[in-house]
Amino acid sequence: MQTLPCSTQRLRCFYAATGHDADYFLMEIAMKPRRDTRVRNLVFFITVISALVVGLWLAR
């Protein structure tokens, strides 16, 4: 049997105890693409800075 990291073993035990299929759950996690949060954060900060600039311009 393949040795798994501790967190993966805990997940399998938890899902097995709750009656779910742990292997299917772990496959779903592995198949999800990683999100690039850098672009999201950049868009968020640009939006916040723009709102602040417009707010200060309107307040003057």
Side-chain angles (χ1 to χ4, degrees), residues 18-29:
T18 56
H20 293 87
D21 186 6
D23 292 326
Y24 178 76
F25 175 74
L26 292 172
M27 278 180 28
E28 271 190 355
I29 291 176

Side-chain angles (χ1 to χ4, degrees), residues 27-42:
M27 278 180 28
E28 271 190 355
I29 291 176
M31 289 171 45
K32 286 184 181 178
R34 285 196 68 197
R35 293 182 177 170
D36 188 11
T37 56
R38 290 174 297 172
V39 174
R40 284 182 174 191
N41 290 344
L42 181 63

Side-chain angles (χ1 to χ4, degrees), residues 2-52:
Q2 178 183 3
T3 2
L4 300 169
C6 290
S7 59
T8 307
Q9 286 177 345
R10 273 187 251 140
L11 264 176
R12 293 181 100 181
C13 290
F14 172 74
Y15 276 90
T18 56
H20 293 87
D21 186 6
D23 292 326
Y24 178 76
F25 175 74
L26 292 172
M27 278 180 28
E28 271 190 355
I29 291 176
M31 289 171 45
K32 286 184 181 178
R34 285 196 68 197
R35 293 182 177 170
D36 188 11
T37 56
R38 290 174 297 172
V39 174
R40 284 182 174 191
N41 290 344
L42 181 63
V43 170
F44 174 76
F45 289 127
I46 289 173
T47 305
V48 169
I49 290 170
S50 301
L52 284 171

